Amino acid sequence: MNKRWLFIIVPLLILVAGYSAAEEHKVVMEIKGMTCALCTLAVKKSLSRVRGVEDVKVSYREEKAWLTTIDSVSDATLTESVQKTGYKGKVVERTPLK
């Protein structure tokens, strides 16, 4: 195998191993200020762009978002992501998945 490939493959394997070893959490956020389905799309898109966030569901009627994150994603990062869309967000529950 070419040595150049080793410099590419080894760091990628380390990155993948570290990412998959991270503990996942179910997170519930309270989102204030949404009034329609387009609001939910903006919040969902913003949260989905955060690295380590998956499975985002948002409801303007319930004023909540449900998502799965890895443990390195902080509550502050999630809150900031929602605030960038013009809404007020707050993490109200974080439960580790087993």
Side-chain angles (χ1 to χ4, degrees):
M1 182 180 272
N2 190 338
K3 286 184 181 181
R4 184 173 11 156
W5 282 106
L6 286 176
F7 287 110
I8 295 171
I9 293 173
V10 171
L12 285 175
L13 289 173
I14 292 170
L15 181 66
V16 169
Y19 184 77
S20 63
E23 186 176 330
E24 291 187 321
H25 293 258
K26 266 298 197 203
V27 176
V28 179
M29 295 186 72
E30 193 174 80
I31 313 289
K32 297 291 184 185
M34 296 187 297
T35 58
C36 66
L38 292 176
C39 298
T40 63
L41 290 176
V43 172
K44 181 177 181 172
K45 186 175 181 180
S46 181
L47 287 169
S48 295
R49 287 183 176 165
V50 176
R51 185 180 172 136
V53 171
E54 298 177 352
D55 301 324
V56 180
K57 293 174 184 65
V58 182
S59 169
Y60 75 89
R61 288 188 178 134
E62 294 184 55
E63 297 184 318
K64 290 190 177 176
W66 301 267
L67 49 130
T68 304
T69 69
I70 58 173
D71 56 357
S72 62
V73 178
S74 70
D75 293 355
T77 300
L78 297 172
T79 300
E80 182 180 318
S81 176
V82 171
Q83 288 176 344
K84 285 181 182 178
T85 62
Y87 307 100
K88 293 184 180 182
K90 179 173 97 173
V91 174
V92 293
E93 185 179 328
R94 180 181 283 264
T95 309
L97 293 177
K98 296 180 181 182

Short mmCIF file of all heavy atoms in Angstrom, two decimals, residues 5-49:
data_model
loop_
_atom_site.label_atom_id
_atom_site.label_comp_id
_atom_site.label_asym_id
_atom_site.label_seq_id
_atom_site.Cartn_x
_atom_site.Cartn_y
_atom_site.Cartn_z
N TRP A 5 -1.51 6.87 1.20
CA TRP A 5 -2.83 6.42 1.59
C TRP A 5 -2.93 6.19 3.09
O TRP A 5 -3.97 6.41 3.69
CB TRP A 5 -3.21 5.13 0.85
CG TRP A 5 -3.64 5.42 -0.55
CD1 TRP A 5 -2.94 5.19 -1.69
CD2 TRP A 5 -4.85 6.04 -0.96
NE1 TRP A 5 -3.62 5.61 -2.79
CE2 TRP A 5 -4.83 6.14 -2.35
CE3 TRP A 5 -5.97 6.50 -0.29
CZ2 TRP A 5 -5.87 6.70 -3.08
CZ3 TRP A 5 -7.00 7.05 -1.02
CH2 TRP A 5 -6.94 7.15 -2.39
N LEU A 6 -1.84 5.77 3.70
CA LEU A 6 -1.85 5.58 5.16
C LEU A 6 -2.09 6.89 5.89
O LEU A 6 -2.75 6.93 6.92
CB LEU A 6 -0.53 4.94 5.62
CG LEU A 6 -0.36 3.46 5.30
CD1 LEU A 6 1.02 2.99 5.73
CD2 LEU A 6 -1.43 2.65 5.99
N PHE A 7 -1.54 7.98 5.35
CA PHE A 7 -1.72 9.29 5.97
C PHE A 7 -3.17 9.79 5.83
O PHE A 7 -3.60 10.65 6.57
CB PHE A 7 -0.76 10.32 5.36
CG PHE A 7 0.65 10.14 5.80
CD1 PHE A 7 1.62 9.70 4.92
CD2 PHE A 7 1.02 10.40 7.12
CE1 PHE A 7 2.94 9.53 5.32
CE2 PHE A 7 2.32 10.22 7.54
CZ PHE A 7 3.29 9.78 6.64
N ILE A 8 -3.89 9.21 4.92
CA ILE A 8 -5.30 9.57 4.74
C ILE A 8 -6.20 8.63 5.52
O ILE A 8 -7.11 9.06 6.23
CB ILE A 8 -5.68 9.55 3.24
CG1 ILE A 8 -4.89 10.63 2.49
CG2 ILE A 8 -7.17 9.74 3.05
CD1 ILE A 8 -5.01 10.57 0.99
N ILE A 9 -5.96 7.34 5.43
CA ILE A 9 -6.85 6.34 6.01
C ILE A 9 -6.77 6.30 7.54
O ILE A 9 -7.80 6.25 8.22
CB ILE A 9 -6.55 4.95 5.42
CG1 ILE A 9 -6.94 4.95 3.94
CG2 ILE A 9 -7.29 3.86 6.17
CD1 ILE A 9 -6.56 3.70 3.20
N VAL A 10 -5.57 6.35 8.10
CA VAL A 10 -5.43 6.23 9.56
C VAL A 10 -6.15 7.36 10.29
O VAL A 10 -6.93 7.09 11.21
CB VAL A 10 -3.94 6.13 9.96
CG1 VAL A 10 -3.77 6.24 11.46
CG2 VAL A 10 -3.34 4.83 9.43
N PRO A 11 -5.96 8.64 9.92
CA PRO A 11 -6.72 9.69 10.63
C PRO A 11 -8.23 9.55 10.47
O PRO A 11 -8.98 9.83 11.41
CB PRO A 11 -6.23 10.99 9.98
CG PRO A 11 -4.90 10.65 9.42
CD PRO A 11 -4.98 9.22 9.00
N LEU A 12 -8.69 9.10 9.30
CA LEU A 12 -10.12 8.89 9.12
C LEU A 12 -10.66 7.80 10.03
O LEU A 12 -11.74 7.92 10.60
CB LEU A 12 -10.43 8.55 7.66
CG LEU A 12 -10.36 9.71 6.68
CD1 LEU A 12 -10.56 9.22 5.25
CD2 LEU A 12 -11.39 10.77 7.02
N LEU A 13 -9.91 6.72 10.17
CA LEU A 13 -10.33 5.64 11.06
C LEU A 13 -10.38 6.11 12.51
O LEU A 13 -11.29 5.75 13.25
CB LEU A 13 -9.39 4.44 10.92
CG LEU A 13 -9.49 3.67 9.62
CD1 LEU A 13 -8.40 2.61 9.54
CD2 LEU A 13 -10.86 3.05 9.46
N ILE A 14 -9.43 6.90 12.90
CA ILE A 14 -9.43 7.45 14.27
C ILE A 14 -10.63 8.36 14.48
O ILE A 14 -11.30 8.29 15.51
CB ILE A 14 -8.11 8.19 14.55
CG1 ILE A 14 -6.95 7.18 14.59
CG2 ILE A 14 -8.19 8.99 15.85
CD1 ILE A 14 -5.58 7.81 14.62
N LEU A 15 -10.93 9.18 13.49
CA LEU A 15 -12.07 10.09 13.58
C LEU A 15 -13.38 9.31 13.68
O LEU A 15 -14.23 9.60 14.53
CB LEU A 15 -12.10 11.01 12.37
CG LEU A 15 -13.24 12.03 12.31
CD1 LEU A 15 -13.09 13.04 13.44
CD2 LEU A 15 -13.23 12.73 10.98
N VAL A 16 -13.55 8.31 12.87
CA VAL A 16 -14.77 7.50 12.88
C VAL A 16 -14.91 6.75 14.20
O VAL A 16 -15.98 6.69 14.79
CB VAL A 16 -14.80 6.52 11.69
CG1 VAL A 16 -15.91 5.50 11.84
CG2 VAL A 16 -14.94 7.29 10.39
N ALA A 17 -13.82 6.20 14.69
CA ALA A 17 -13.86 5.47 15.97
C ALA A 17 -14.24 6.40 17.11
O ALA A 17 -15.03 6.04 17.98
CB ALA A 17 -12.51 4.81 16.25
N GLY A 18 -13.71 7.59 17.13
CA GLY A 18 -14.04 8.56 18.18
C GLY A 18 -15.47 9.02 18.11
O GLY A 18 -16.14 9.19 19.11
N TYR A 19 -15.98 9.22 16.91
CA TYR A 19 -17.35 9.68 16.74
C TYR A 19 -18.34 8.60 17.16
O TYR A 19 -19.31 8.86 17.83
CB TYR A 19 -17.58 10.09 15.28
CG TYR A 19 -18.95 10.66 15.03
CD1 TYR A 19 -19.24 11.97 15.41
CD2 TYR A 19 -19.95 9.91 14.44
CE1 TYR A 19 -20.49 12.51 15.19
CE2 TYR A 19 -21.20 10.44 14.22
CZ TYR A 19 -21.47 11.74 14.59
OH TYR A 19 -22.71 12.27 14.39
N SER A 20 -18.07 7.36 16.78
CA SER A 20 -19.02 6.30 17.11
C SER A 20 -18.99 5.93 18.59
O SER A 20 -19.94 5.36 19.10
CB SER A 20 -18.75 5.06 16.25
OG SER A 20 -17.47 4.56 16.55
N ALA A 21 -17.90 6.25 19.29
CA ALA A 21 -17.79 5.93 20.71
C ALA A 21 -18.50 6.95 21.59
O ALA A 21 -18.68 6.73 22.78
CB ALA A 21 -16.32 5.83 21.11
N ALA A 22 -18.89 8.08 21.02
CA ALA A 22 -19.54 9.13 21.79
C ALA A 22 -20.92 8.65 22.25
O ALA A 22 -21.64 7.99 21.51
CB ALA A 22 -19.67 10.39 20.95
N GLU A 23 -21.27 8.99 23.46
CA GLU A 23 -22.57 8.62 24.00
C GLU A 23 -23.65 9.52 23.40
O GLU A 23 -23.47 10.72 23.27
CB GLU A 23 -22.56 8.77 25.51
CG GLU A 23 -23.82 8.28 26.17
CD GLU A 23 -23.76 8.36 27.69
OE1 GLU A 23 -22.67 8.24 28.24
OE2 GLU A 23 -24.81 8.55 28.29
N GLU A 24 -24.77 8.93 23.04
CA GLU A 24 -25.88 9.69 22.48
C GLU A 24 -26.88 10.07 23.56
O GLU A 24 -27.04 9.35 24.55
CB GLU A 24 -26.58 8.89 21.39
CG GLU A 24 -25.75 8.71 20.15
CD GLU A 24 -26.53 8.05 19.03
OE1 GLU A 24 -27.33 7.13 19.31
OE2 GLU A 24 -26.34 8.46 17.89
N HIS A 25 -27.54 11.19 23.34
CA HIS A 25 -28.55 11.70 24.26
C HIS A 25 -29.82 12.04 23.49
O HIS A 25 -29.76 12.53 22.37
CB HIS A 25 -28.06 12.98 24.95
CG HIS A 25 -26.92 12.76 25.87
ND1 HIS A 25 -27.06 12.71 27.23
CD2 HIS A 25 -25.61 12.58 25.63
CE1 HIS A 25 -25.87 12.51 27.80
NE2 HIS A 25 -24.98 12.42 26.84
N LYS A 26 -30.96 11.81 24.12
CA LYS A 26 -32.24 12.32 23.64
C LYS A 26 -32.43 13.66 24.31
O LYS A 26 -32.33 13.78 25.53
CB LYS A 26 -33.38 11.40 24.05
CG LYS A 26 -33.78 10.37 23.05
CD LYS A 26 -34.26 10.97 21.79
CE LYS A 26 -35.04 9.94 21.00
NZ LYS A 26 -35.07 10.25 19.60
N VAL A 27 -32.69 14.69 23.51
CA VAL A 27 -32.83 16.05 24.03
C VAL A 27 -34.20 16.58 23.68
O VAL A 27 -34.69 16.40 22.56
CB VAL A 27 -31.73 16.97 23.44
CG1 VAL A 27 -31.92 18.41 23.90
CG2 VAL A 27 -30.34 16.47 23.82
N VAL A 28 -34.82 17.24 24.65
CA VAL A 28 -36.09 17.94 24.42
C VAL A 28 -35.82 19.42 24.66
O VAL A 28 -35.24 19.80 25.68
CB VAL A 28 -37.20 17.46 25.38
CG1 VAL A 28 -38.50 18.22 25.13
CG2 VAL A 28 -37.42 15.96 25.24
N MET A 29 -36.22 20.24 23.69
CA MET A 29 -36.06 21.69 23.81
C MET A 29 -37.42 22.37 23.80
O MET A 29 -38.33 21.94 23.09
CB MET A 29 -35.22 22.24 22.66
CG MET A 29 -33.80 21.76 22.62
SD MET A 29 -32.85 22.59 21.32
CE MET A 29 -32.68 24.23 22.05
N GLU A 30 -37.52 23.43 24.56
CA GLU A 30 -38.70 24.28 24.54
C GLU A 30 -38.37 25.42 23.58
O GLU A 30 -37.33 26.08 23.72
CB GLU A 30 -38.94 24.82 25.94
CG GLU A 30 -40.27 25.47 26.15
CD GLU A 30 -40.44 25.81 27.62
OE1 GLU A 30 -39.89 26.85 28.04
OE2 GLU A 30 -41.10 25.03 28.33
N ILE A 31 -39.23 25.66 22.59
CA ILE A 31 -39.00 26.69 21.58
C ILE A 31 -40.14 27.70 21.65
O ILE A 31 -41.30 27.33 21.45
CB ILE A 31 -38.92 26.10 20.16
CG1 ILE A 31 -38.03 24.86 20.10
CG2 ILE A 31 -38.49 27.17 19.17
CD1 ILE A 31 -36.57 25.10 20.25
N LYS A 32 -39.84 28.94 21.90
CA LYS A 32 -40.86 29.99 21.98
C LYS A 32 -40.81 30.88 20.74
O LYS A 32 -39.74 31.19 20.24
CB LYS A 32 -40.63 30.87 23.22
CG LYS A 32 -40.74 30.13 24.54
CD LYS A 32 -42.15 29.70 24.79
CE LYS A 32 -42.28 29.05 26.16
NZ LYS A 32 -43.59 28.53 26.39
N GLY A 33 -41.99 31.27 20.27
CA GLY A 33 -42.09 32.23 19.18
C GLY A 33 -42.49 31.64 17.84
O GLY A 33 -42.71 32.39 16.88
N MET A 34 -42.61 30.33 17.73
CA MET A 34 -43.02 29.72 16.46
C MET A 34 -44.53 29.88 16.29
O MET A 34 -45.28 29.71 17.24
CB MET A 34 -42.65 28.24 16.43
CG MET A 34 -41.18 27.96 16.47
SD MET A 34 -40.78 26.21 16.23
CE MET A 34 -41.55 25.46 17.66
N THR A 35 -44.95 30.19 15.06
CA THR A 35 -46.37 30.40 14.81
C THR A 35 -46.92 29.57 13.67
O THR A 35 -48.13 29.56 13.45
CB THR A 35 -46.64 31.88 14.50
OG1 THR A 35 -45.85 32.26 13.37
CG2 THR A 35 -46.31 32.77 15.70
N CYS A 36 -46.04 28.89 12.90
CA CYS A 36 -46.52 28.14 11.74
C CYS A 36 -45.54 27.03 11.37
O CYS A 36 -44.46 26.92 11.94
CB CYS A 36 -46.72 29.06 10.55
SG CYS A 36 -45.19 29.77 9.93
N ALA A 37 -45.92 26.26 10.35
CA ALA A 37 -45.08 25.15 9.90
C ALA A 37 -43.75 25.64 9.33
O ALA A 37 -42.73 24.95 9.43
CB ALA A 37 -45.83 24.33 8.86
N LEU A 38 -43.72 26.83 8.74
CA LEU A 38 -42.45 27.35 8.22
C LEU A 38 -41.47 27.65 9.35
O LEU A 38 -40.26 27.50 9.17
CB LEU A 38 -42.69 28.60 7.37
CG LEU A 38 -43.42 28.35 6.05
CD1 LEU A 38 -43.68 29.67 5.33
CD2 LEU A 38 -42.63 27.41 5.16
N CYS A 39 -41.99 28.05 10.49
CA CYS A 39 -41.13 28.27 11.65
C CYS A 39 -40.45 26.96 12.05
O CYS A 39 -39.25 26.94 12.35
CB CYS A 39 -41.94 28.80 12.83
SG CYS A 39 -42.74 30.38 12.56
N THR A 40 -41.21 25.88 12.04
CA THR A 40 -40.64 24.59 12.43
C THR A 40 -39.55 24.17 11.45
O THR A 40 -38.54 23.60 11.86
CB THR A 40 -41.71 23.49 12.50
OG1 THR A 40 -42.29 23.29 11.23
CG2 THR A 40 -42.79 23.83 13.50
N LEU A 41 -39.73 24.46 10.18
CA LEU A 41 -38.71 24.12 9.19
C LEU A 41 -37.41 24.89 9.43
O LEU A 41 -36.32 24.33 9.31
CB LEU A 41 -39.22 24.39 7.77
CG LEU A 41 -40.31 23.46 7.26
CD1 LEU A 41 -40.81 23.91 5.89
CD2 LEU A 41 -39.81 22.03 7.20
N ALA A 42 -37.53 26.17 9.79
CA ALA A 42 -36.34 26.99 10.05
C ALA A 42 -35.58 26.46 11.26
O ALA A 42 -34.35 26.33 11.24
CB ALA A 42 -36.75 28.45 10.28
N VAL A 43 -36.31 26.11 12.32
CA VAL A 43 -35.67 25.59 13.53
C VAL A 43 -35.05 24.23 13.25
O VAL A 43 -33.91 23.96 13.63
CB VAL A 43 -36.69 25.51 14.70
CG1 VAL A 43 -36.09 24.78 15.89
CG2 VAL A 43 -37.14 26.91 15.10
N LYS A 44 -35.78 23.37 12.55
CA LYS A 44 -35.26 22.04 12.23
C LYS A 44 -34.00 22.12 11.39
O LYS A 44 -33.02 21.42 11.65
CB LYS A 44 -36.32 21.23 11.50
CG LYS A 44 -35.87 19.83 11.15
CD LYS A 44 -36.96 19.02 10.50
CE LYS A 44 -36.45 17.62 10.20
NZ LYS A 44 -37.50 16.74 9.74
N LYS A 45 -34.00 22.98 10.41
CA LYS A 45 -32.84 23.14 9.54
C LYS A 45 -31.63 23.65 10.34
O LYS A 45 -30.52 23.15 10.18
CB LYS A 45 -33.17 24.12 8.41
CG LYS A 45 -32.10 24.26 7.38
CD LYS A 45 -32.58 25.16 6.24
CE LYS A 45 -31.54 25.31 5.18
NZ LYS A 45 -32.00 26.19 4.09
N SER A 46 -31.86 24.60 11.20
CA SER A 46 -30.78 25.15 12.01
C SER A 46 -30.18 24.10 12.95
O SER A 46 -28.97 23.96 13.06
CB SER A 46 -31.28 26.36 12.81
OG SER A 46 -30.24 26.92 13.57
N LEU A 47 -31.04 23.36 13.65
CA LEU A 47 -30.55 22.32 14.56
C LEU A 47 -29.87 21.18 13.81
O LEU A 47 -28.87 20.63 14.29
CB LEU A 47 -31.71 21.78 15.40
CG LEU A 47 -32.23 22.70 16.49
CD1 LEU A 47 -33.55 22.17 17.07
CD2 LEU A 47 -31.21 22.89 17.59
N SER A 48 -30.38 20.85 12.64
CA SER A 48 -29.79 19.76 11.85
C SER A 48 -28.39 20.09 11.37
O SER A 48 -27.59 19.19 11.10
CB SER A 48 -30.68 19.44 10.65
OG SER A 48 -31.91 18.94 11.08
N ARG A 49 -28.08 21.35 11.26
CA ARG A 49 -26.75 21.77 10.81
C ARG A 49 -25.69 21.66 11.90
O ARG A 49 -24.50 21.74 11.61
CB ARG A 49 -26.79 23.21 10.31
CG ARG A 49 -27.49 23.35 8.99
CD ARG A 49 -27.44 24.76 8.51
NE ARG A 49 -28.02 24.87 7.19
CZ ARG A 49 -28.38 26.00 6.64
NH1 ARG A 49 -28.22 27.14 7.29
NH2 ARG A 49 -28.90 26.02 5.43
#
